[in-house]
Amino acid sequence: MFRSTTALGTALFLMLSVGSAVAAEKSTATPAAPPTAASPNASATAMATPTKAPLDLTGLKVGQQINVADIPALRNIIPGGTEVRYIGNEYGLNGYFLSKDKTGKVLYITPDNQGIIDGMIYSGDGSPTTLQQLSRLKDAGFDPAPFIGKPSDTTAQTSQATTPPPTPATVAPSIAAASQPAATQPMQQATKPTSDTKSPGEMLWQETNNASWIAFGNTNAPQLTVFMDRGCNECMNFFRTIYPLTQSNKLYLRVIPVTVIDPKNTTITANVLGSPSPAAAWVAVANGQTIPQPANISEQIGDAIKANNTLFFRWKLPGTPYLIYRDATQSKVKVLIGEPDNLKTLLTELGIG
């Protein structure tokens, strides 16, 4: 559910620049004279000056708010008023979510609490460790979504509506075509459209048409495509909310299953796609039911899930659920990050009364 922003990063850069200038000024200043033997209390005075001990991370819990001054690496470069919350330790790096003025950023601190790393962490299997940490932060009671990515489509009525992300710079790696079970779209190679006149939204729409998806409802109804992760509670909540609309033929829903939050869900997702009725299996999973494992899960099913994940990461989508739809009045492709604040507004834009 997250989209990286640069406002806080810019502030961080400026603070770093100021810090460097101050350090340079200090280095050229005339050093103070050392204490002489005639000043016997000088050493005692220096020893009595309190020093800030590094933050003891033992026992810190995800979501716990901490003082910037407790982290040496952040102490002199983070603007005042910034809230810092602990998001956990992965690969020896302590992670923090910084929020200020409705913008947010994730930073990692080196084990010695002196260095800063700005960026996403991925595991060896390609799953986004940082997104998993932010999901746990939300589960701990603090939702980072409002601080990451402001609405950029001012014509949208739904508060979370944004314009689609920019065109990806690279084309997805070659993936063998996968034969999908009933109720899913046959997997095809996701390729970059040849037309340079297509907007990013149109290109994303086209590529999702070529992904592997599970269909619900009447194909003649307004279409809503959603990237969903079985490990995303918000995804399952949203699916349960809109599923009845597919049963009344008011909505045509395409669920593109991905496993970007927790790779452990890959097995369950493969079981869904490999079942005789993937749509029924997905409904069961969304309702918390356990589905039986099919006798045989083809390698092509795994390739289909990998292809969906590749599409998700290549477009640098910020999280799940990620909704893609066409405005009924303007025919513009729009996207929503997370559950809509106002479902009625979304349905109106889809042309569903």
Side-chain angles (χ1 to χ4, degrees), residues 151-240:
S152 57
D153 184 353
T154 56
T155 64
Q157 299 177 38
T158 306
S159 64
Q160 293 167 293
T162 69
T163 53
T167 305
T170 58
V171 177
S174 177
I175 300 174
S179 299
Q180 289 298 299
T184 65
Q185 167 73 8
M187 183 61 208
Q188 301 177 22
Q189 168 62 36
T191 57
K192 183 176 179 179
T194 56
S195 174
D196 293 330
T197 61
K198 288 185 180 293
S199 68
E202 292 293 342
M203 295 175 69
L204 178 60
W205 180 275
Q206 179 172 327
E207 291 201 29
T208 56
N209 286 340
N210 294 331
S212 290
W213 35 264
I214 307 172
F216 302 87
N218 190 326
T219 57
N220 294 322
Q223 178 179 319
L224 174 65
T225 300
V226 187
F227 283 88
M228 289 191 179
D229 191 311
R230 184 263 174 188
C232 167
N233 293 331
E234 197 171 343
C235 293
M236 298 297 99
N237 290 336
F238 181 62
F239 176 79
R240 289 191 293 268

Side-chain angles (χ1 to χ4, degrees), residues 98-314:
L98 285 62
S99 56
K100 177 179 171 62
D101 299 332
K102 291 299 181 181
T103 61
K105 190 175 187 64
V106 174
L107 292 178
Y108 293 94
I109 307 300
T110 54
D112 61 3
N113 282 332
Q114 300 300 320
I116 300 174
I117 300 174
D118 179 3
M120 290 273 292
I121 292 181
Y122 292 86
S123 66
D125 61 5
S127 59
T129 300
T130 298
L131 289 186
Q132 295 166 16
Q133 289 179 311
L134 291 178
S135 179
R136 290 192 289 269
L137 178 61
K138 181 180 179 181
D139 292 340
F142 179 82
D143 186 2
F147 298 90
I148 307 180
K150 293 184 177 180
S152 57
D153 184 353
T154 56
T155 64
Q157 299 177 38
T158 306
S159 64
Q160 293 167 293
T162 69
T163 53
T167 305
T170 58
V171 177
S174 177
I175 300 174
S179 299
Q180 289 298 299
T184 65
Q185 167 73 8
M187 183 61 208
Q188 301 177 22
Q189 168 62 36
T191 57
K192 183 176 179 179
T194 56
S195 174
D196 293 330
T197 61
K198 288 185 180 293
S199 68
E202 292 293 342
M203 295 175 69
L204 178 60
W205 180 275
Q206 179 172 327
E207 291 201 29
T208 56
N209 286 340
N210 294 331
S212 290
W213 35 264
I214 307 172
F216 302 87
N218 190 326
T219 57
N220 294 322
Q223 178 179 319
L224 174 65
T225 300
V226 187
F227 283 88
M228 289 191 179
D229 191 311
R230 184 263 174 188
C232 167
N233 293 331
E234 197 171 343
C235 293
M236 298 297 99
N237 290 336
F238 181 62
F239 176 79
R240 289 191 293 268
T241 298
I242 61 174
Y243 176 69
L245 295 173
T246 68
Q247 299 306 289
S248 60
N249 292 325
K250 293 182 178 179
L251 176 68
Y252 176 52
L253 173 66
R254 290 179 175 179
V255 171
I256 301 179
V258 293
T259 55
V260 297
I261 292 181
D262 190 346
K264 296 177 182 177
N265 292 314
T266 300
T267 299
I268 297 176
T269 304
N271 290 346
V272 169
L273 293 178
S275 66
S277 175
W282 184 265
V283 171
V285 167
N287 288 325
Q289 301 173 13
T290 301
I291 60 173
Q293 181 174 350
N296 295 304
I297 296 292
S298 70
E299 185 176 329
Q300 293 173 327
I301 294 295
D303 288 341
I305 297 173
K306 290 179 181 177
N308 285 351
N309 290 346
T310 297
L311 178 63
F312 184 91
F313 290 129
R314 185 165 59 83

Side-chain angles (χ1 to χ4, degrees), residues 157-159 238 241-242 245 323 325 336 339-353:
Q157 299 177 38
T158 306
S159 64
F238 181 62
T241 298
I242 61 174
L245 295 173
L323 290 64
Y325 63 98
L336 283 175
E339 292 185 84
D341 291 339
N342 191 322
L343 181 60
K344 184 177 180 180
T345 300
L346 171 64
L347 297 181
T348 299
E349 289 194 335
L350 283 166
I352 300 175

